Amino acid sequence: MSSTAANVPTSDDDTRLAALGYRPQLNRVLGLFANFAVAFTYLSPMVGIYSLFVLGVGTGGPAYVWLTWVPVAGMLLVALVFGELASHYPVAGALYQYSKFSVGPRYGWFVGWFYGIALLITVAAVDTGVVSYVTALGHNWFGWSFDPTDHLTILVITVCLLLIQTTLNITGATVMGRVAQFGVYVEIVGTLGIAIILAINGFHHGPGFLFSTQHVQDAASNPLGLDFGGHWLTGAALIAVLAPVYIFYGFESAGDISEETRDAGRQVPRAMRWALIWGGVSSFILIASLLLAMPSGKNPVGQTVDGGGVPFILGQLPSWLQDLLLLLIIFAFFSCGTSVQGAGSRLVFSYARDGALPGSAFLSAVHRRFRTPVNALVVGSVITALFVLLVFASPDHDVKFGFVTYPANTNVLVSLVSFGVSGIYLSFLLTVIGAIVARRRGWLAEGSFRLGRWAWPVTLVAAGYLGLMLLNVVLPTGLSSPRGYFNLDWITLLVMLAVTAVGVLVFLFARPARTVGRHLGDADQPSGAARAAR
């Protein structure tokens, strides 16, 4: 349970925790690199690029590589806002806690709800995304012939991964940190290392190729059959930018594990920024290398998309190197899922410690030996497994619900996964808006990291970026529209509304604001600002 500190604080971190009304329960064993590693492996350039390369190059052509810097720049502003909040509120639960203190218990609860559901869905998306690589490696090494699209195969492999990830996360923050740290090295080899290998093997295009669109903006030459009306900047680029947009988040998880990080007020903001910056650099290098390694000829983009994207490009490498790469990819997915699950369990623990969820006493329990929120981890993995069962729901024909058409052969899990990004952007936007509200009320940043006179412009531009990109993600424009490749027309928006409706029902039933409101003490704030937050 959460309460005003009952023990004498043993460090400045614990003293700050006590000032916010909490006693230390988790194990503060992570340093800067481990904290950064969790954030970086959640962001995972390898997982994102190997999953979304076809959509990026198919919608934007080779020039889509430059769109990488749009979400990196936008999210870096967001990371600055989050960094200031994380430094002032170094508490497990990150966005939930920031919003709770900034605006109030009801507002914070809904921010945490959207963020938490998005995290659970992200674990399901990541763990199911690795299935094709596991089956490919099993075929190469053992001659297995499992179909990666078979629903039972997906379920069995995903549940096995969840069991391993949950077991490791239960055994302590140190283990989670070590898995993430090894994941960083895997990411370096899988991004910079592959770029070097492709360069040695020989690029088929010069640097100028990266500035070309290969006429993907024209319907006649678009490999995905999309029609942008001949417009790249105002058409194709708006959709192609979603490929990197779907990659560059996860840095905020550094704040979720604040109570397990030494000198969290100083190190967490650094970890957030570093995860984004190095994620951007490694992503740009890998995407550029893959593009330059595409086959030469009349239609390199079409050949690559038709061939399956990254596996098609890497198929030119020796078979042993391909197997090694498969191992790296599998571990990248594994470490990404482990980090996301670990961050999500800390959010659930933070919620439950405030009495904000049904069964809070059970969910807030911390293992006596490992000092991890074991029940939150187990329940989260069960919910994720239930989400994975949705792969079995896949209509073989278009299903119409009034003006909405659910497309044939699209399993329900894919539709739910769309909330993994829209939910993240929504919770991010609400958190930044909460920071704006707090500043208007007189909130003063007192952590180690402060934006100073840049606070207002950075916060406002960050909110503008998040608002515009959220609109770009969810805007329904028809299944025949290029945007339909990402948001399935109305489906993404409807999933968001459904998650909101369920949240409203839980909120009305459990009435969590009453208990959350008891945990709003902040000894470092002027009394007027503290009262306003209530």
Side-chain angles (χ1 to χ4, degrees):
M1 294 180 60
S2 161
S3 63
T4 302
N7 301 325
V8 177
T10 58
S11 68
D12 290 341
D13 295 300
D14 293 341
T15 300
R16 179 60 183 141
L17 201 59
L20 294 170
Y22 298 104
R23 61 185 176 87
Q25 294 175 271
L26 306 178
N27 204 8
R28 199 177 293 279
V29 293
L30 302 178
L32 173 60
F33 182 58
N35 185 276
F36 157 80
V38 171
F40 185 77
T41 52
Y42 176 175
L43 186 149
S44 187
M46 278 185 71
V47 170
I49 293 169
Y50 291 164
S51 300
L52 297 165
F53 180 79
V54 165
L55 291 176
V57 72
T59 53
Y64 108 90
V65 65
W66 301 103
L67 300 175
T68 300
W69 300 113
V70 174
V72 171
M75 282 301 197
L76 188 56
L77 296 176
V78 176
L80 292 174
V81 177
F82 285 3
E84 189 173 53
L85 291 168
S87 186
H88 189 96
Y89 303 115
V91 185
L95 307 191
Y96 157 65
Q97 292 286 355
Y98 308 159
S99 302
K100 180 190 80 176
F101 282 109
S102 297
V103 180
R106 295 175 182 84
Y107 189 86
W109 190 91
F110 275 100
V111 171
W113 172 260
F114 294 130
Y115 181 52
I117 297 297
L119 289 179
L120 290 171
I121 292 171
T122 299
V123 176
V126 171
D127 283 0
T128 55
V130 77
V131 171
S132 61
Y133 298 106
V134 172
T135 55
L137 189 63
H139 178 269
N140 292 350
W141 283 10
F142 309 110
W144 296 341
S145 297
F146 294 114
D147 180 4
T149 63
D150 178 73
H151 297 154
L152 185 58
T153 300
I154 294 173
L155 180 62
V156 170
I157 292 177
T158 303
V159 169
C160 288
L161 280 177
L162 276 172
L163 287 172
I164 298 171
Q165 290 165 335
T166 305
T167 301
L168 290 175
N169 273 323
I170 285 174
T171 55
T174 301
V175 175
M176 178 181 67
R178 286 175 179 168
V179 171
Q181 287 171 318
F182 188 72
V184 171
Y185 300 127
V186 168
E187 292 279 349
I188 293 172
V189 176
T191 53
L192 304 183
I194 291 302
I196 293 171
I197 290 170
L198 289 173
I200 294 174
N201 195 59
F203 289 145
H204 299 135
H205 304 276
F209 183 71
L210 300 178
F211 295 90
S212 71
T213 66
Q214 296 297 296
H215 305 290
V216 294
Q217 64 269 31
D218 301 318
S221 53
N222 186 280
L224 298 175
L226 305 178
D227 185 3
F228 294 104
H231 304 289
W232 190 84
L233 188 61
T234 58
L238 291 178
I239 309 304
V241 74
L242 294 179
V245 160
Y246 276 45
I247 298 174
F248 291 103
Y249 59 90
F251 58 89
E252 80 290 343
S253 60
D256 285 311
I257 54 174
S258 286
E259 290 183 41
E260 291 151 292
T261 302
R262 295 186 295 270
D263 195 13
R266 187 181 306 276
Q267 305 302 2
V268 168
R270 290 179 180 175
M272 289 181 178
R273 299 193 301 274
W274 286 8
L276 268 174
I277 292 170
W278 289 112
V281 170
S282 58
S283 294
F284 182 84
I285 292 174
L286 177 59
I287 294 172
S289 300
L290 290 170
L291 291 168
L292 296 176
M294 290 199 304
S296 57
K298 187 176 181 181
N299 187 14
V301 173
Q303 291 182 60
T304 301
V305 171
D306 292 341
V310 175
F312 174 74
I313 296 172
L314 300 179
Q316 61 187 292
L317 301 176
S319 59
W320 68 268
L321 194 53
Q322 293 182 46
D323 286 350
L324 175 61
L325 182 58
L326 281 173
L327 272 177
L328 296 178
I329 294 173
I330 290 169
F331 191 86
F333 273 84
F334 175 78
S335 62
C336 176
T338 303
S339 294
V340 180
Q341 185 194 58
S345 67
R346 273 57 176 184
L347 172 64
V348 173
F349 162 77
S350 186
Y351 246 65
R353 183 173 56 177
D354 282 358
L357 292 172
S360 287
F362 175 78
L363 292 171
S364 63
V366 174
H367 194 281
R368 290 184 178 180
R369 177 184 174 188
F370 301 126
R371 298 183 70 181
T372 52
V374 58
N375 293 340
L377 281 162
V378 172
V379 171
S381 65
V382 170
I383 294 174
T384 298
L386 292 175
F387 284 157
V388 175
L389 288 175
L390 296 176
V391 299
F392 288 93
S394 181
D396 57 6
H397 61 279
D398 288 350
V399 179
K400 293 187 177 295
F401 302 94
F403 60 89
V404 178
T405 299
Y406 191 89
N409 302 315
T410 302
N411 70 64
V412 177
L413 178 60
V414 170
S415 303
L416 191 63
V417 165
S418 65
F419 185 77
V421 176
S422 60
I424 288 290
Y425 266 77
L426 177 60
S427 58
F428 277 29
L429 175 60
L430 292 175
T431 303
V432 173
I433 290 175
I436 293 173
V437 172
R439 293 190 200 284
R440 288 281 296 173
R441 289 174 171 175
W443 177 75
L444 301 174
E446 298 292 346
S448 301
F449 177 75
R450 307 175 197 175
L451 292 175
R453 61 191 179 92
W454 290 100
W456 273 111
V458 167
T459 306
L460 292 175
V461 176
Y465 164 76
L466 290 170
L468 290 173
M469 204 54 71
L470 177 61
L471 180 65
N472 195 27
V473 169
V474 303
L475 183 66
T477 52
L479 285 174
S480 59
S481 163
R483 194 183 306 279
Y485 262 77
F486 284 90
N487 67 5
L488 301 176
D489 193 20
W490 284 92
I491 302 301
T492 295
L493 186 58
L494 290 178
V495 170
M496 181 182 290
L497 293 176
V499 171
T500 302
V502 174
V504 170
L505 291 175
V506 173
F507 186 86
L508 293 176
F509 173 76
R511 301 183 68 183
R514 294 177 301 173
T515 53
V516 174
R518 300 171 191 157
H519 302 277
L520 280 171
D522 185 356
D524 283 2
Q525 282 300 291
S527 58
R531 285 195 300 271
R534 293 178 185 271

